[in-house]
Amino acid sequence: MKILRTPDECFEGLKDYPFEPHYTTVQTEDGTNLRIHHLDEGPKDGPLVLCMHGQPVWSYLYRHVIPHLTAAGMHVVAPDLVGYGKSDKPAHRDDYSYERQVEWMGKWLAANNITGITFFGQDWGGLVGLRLVVNHSERFDRVVISNTGLPYNPDVPEDVVKAVEDFRANKPTPNLMEMQKALSGMGSDGHPAQKFAYWQKWCWETEDLPIGFLMSMMLDPPAKPMQLVKFLLNKAGVTSPLPTALAKAYDAPFPDPSYKMGPRAMPSQVPTLPTSPSLDAQRQAWEFYESFNKPFLCAFADDDPVTRGGEAQFKAKVPGTKGLPHTTIKGGGHFVQENAPEQVAAVIVDLIQST
């Protein structure tokens, strides 16, 4: 397996990211060494909080959450998934799968011998992290999730499966505006898998994914005239037009398009269809959670179009959710860590202190 490693100088001068790096080397299934980065902050004898990010971001996402947690006496560990941040990046899209991410991060978890964990996961951080809880349950004491899921879809109608597979295989790559329109309509008519397929296809087929641009326009949008200028520049081929400090930070792990295979590949690995290679593993994971009695808290945002309402299946099926003060993150958007870091930290701290 060919591995890329982002040069350290790409991360110099990032705003609000004063944290020291820590590295662990694990081996892939073919014996290749894979270096995984994590942050380790706060008192080492404090309750341990494992914070996992999703796609297309990295541990920079937690820079405003971590100070609130450490101020409350928490010991915070925040890794970068393989293919993201300061972690190594396999060079081919097909190197990435859901099961490999779970395997790689499981090896990282075991190598660091982390125990007594309160887990917090959002987006792909939840998809991977919830599977780590299944595979290493003895290491986890509590679970908190936000804007994520444990997708298991064995009953999608055949006509929807065929339509999604045909769209992804044969239709033109959607442009940025078409993709955004589809995602914003996730809760409207039509099967969610058909809407999400726009994100899957756009990421898979966009060679130079405009990660910093997307994140900055979502989290720190400029005035309308400047938004128009930036969108026009992007449409003209400028991947990161007039980048802000936020855009530069989310672009930092990817000095050129060859480093972006993880963010490009992972949306297509979300098991939205019964044809997913992860289907049986997801079934077994849900069987595990249907008898999971440790504290399991949901803290979804009130304004995320992709995952809104996703907490319902956990509250219905997981015994550990009973009697807990499930929280709605106000105005959190999809990336609650950016939009509502104090709320996120408070939810985690309150659960630890109350259980």
Side-chain angles (χ1 to χ4, degrees):
M1 185 180 292
K2 180 182 177 181
I3 302 295
L4 302 178
R5 180 170 295 172
T6 304
D8 289 343
E9 54 265 29
C10 292
F11 300 101
E12 292 177 358
L14 297 184
K15 184 179 179 182
D16 299 327
Y17 194 78
F19 312 111
E20 291 295 320
H22 300 265
Y23 296 101
T24 305
T25 298
V26 303
Q27 283 195 330
T28 66
E29 58 280 1
D30 68 355
T32 303
N33 285 336
L34 195 62
R35 194 179 75 169
I36 298 176
H37 166 259
H38 70 273
L39 305 180
D40 190 325
E41 297 291 323
K44 299 302 182 283
D45 60 349
L48 194 144
V49 182
L50 172 61
C51 295
M52 292 185 66
H53 71 85
Q55 185 266 0
V57 295
W58 57 294
S59 57
Y60 185 81
L61 181 71
Y62 284 98
R63 70 198 180 282
H64 295 314
V65 177
I66 289 171
H68 293 294
L69 291 174
T70 56
M74 305 293 130
H75 176 195
V76 185
V77 174
D80 291 334
L81 292 176
V82 174
Y84 299 81
K86 296 184 178 183
S87 290
D88 281 351
K89 299 165 181 69
H92 300 287
R93 283 179 304 179
D94 291 338
D95 291 335
Y96 296 89
S97 73
Y98 192 169
E99 300 311 312
R100 282 182 174 178
Q101 287 284 13
V102 171
E103 177 189 358
W104 293 333
M105 296 311 298
K107 289 181 177 180
W108 169 85
L109 187 68
N112 285 281
N113 196 28
I114 300 172
T115 59
I117 300 168
T118 296
F119 168 68
F120 178 82
Q122 176 264 341
D123 193 86
W124 262 103
L127 271 73
V128 174
L130 287 171
R131 291 280 302 281
L132 293 185
V133 176
V134 174
N135 295 344
H136 306 270
S137 59
E138 73 284 355
R139 297 183 181 275
F140 291 85
D141 290 350
R142 305 169 191 82
V143 171
V144 184
I145 58 170
S146 179
N147 296 355
T148 190
L150 189 61
Y152 174 58
N153 298 285
D155 301 318
V156 178
E158 186 176 352
D159 62 323
V160 173
V161 175
K162 289 181 177 179
V164 170
E165 291 179 343
D166 177 67
F167 172 75
R168 290 176 57 180
N170 301 313
K171 297 298 187 282
T173 305
N175 61 39
L176 178 60
M177 300 302 291
E178 290 170 336
M179 178 275 294
Q180 290 181 318
K181 182 179 179 181
L183 285 189
S184 66
M186 284 282 286
S188 61
D189 293 340
H191 197 281
Q194 292 176 284
K195 305 292 181 63
F196 192 70
Y198 278 78
W199 176 245
Q200 293 174 311
K201 186 175 179 67
W202 183 76
C203 288
W204 183 261
E205 296 179 358
T206 302
E207 181 177 353
D208 196 3
L209 205 62
I211 293 170
F213 173 61
L214 276 180
M215 294 300 296
S216 64
M217 295 300 283
M218 183 188 307
L219 299 171
D220 188 24
K224 293 291 185 181
M226 181 54 70
Q227 287 188 46
L228 179 60
V229 169
K230 288 192 173 189
F231 272 105
L232 289 173
L233 287 171
N234 179 258
K235 188 176 181 180
V238 180
T239 301
S240 190
L242 307 173
T244 62
L246 186 73
K248 291 177 181 178
Y250 281 116
D251 277 332
F254 313 109
D256 68 55
S258 67
Y259 289 77
K260 297 182 179 182
M261 296 305 180
R264 288 178 62 190
M266 290 313 293
S268 293
Q269 297 296 323
V270 177
T272 56
L273 302 176
T275 52
S276 165
S278 292
L279 190 71
D280 193 58
Q282 297 296 86
R283 177 189 60 77
Q284 294 179 51
W286 271 111
E287 289 179 356
F288 168 88
Y289 281 109
E290 286 169 358
S291 60
F292 186 79
N293 288 295
K294 295 177 183 179
F296 190 114
L297 187 71
C298 299
F300 283 55
D302 59 359
D303 58 349
D304 178 20
V306 179
T307 66
R308 187 188 296 120
E311 67 271 32
Q313 62 178 330
F314 292 99
K315 292 163 72 174
K317 295 181 178 181
V318 182
T321 64
K322 307 307 178 188
L324 294 182
H326 301 287
T327 303
T328 299
I329 303 293
K330 304 295 184 182
H334 185 62
F335 293 102
V336 292
Q337 304 94 322
E338 286 278 6
N339 294 318
E342 292 185 28
Q343 294 182 62
V344 170
V347 165
I348 298 168
V349 172
D350 289 349
L351 181 66
I352 292 172
Q353 293 179 344
S354 64
T355 56

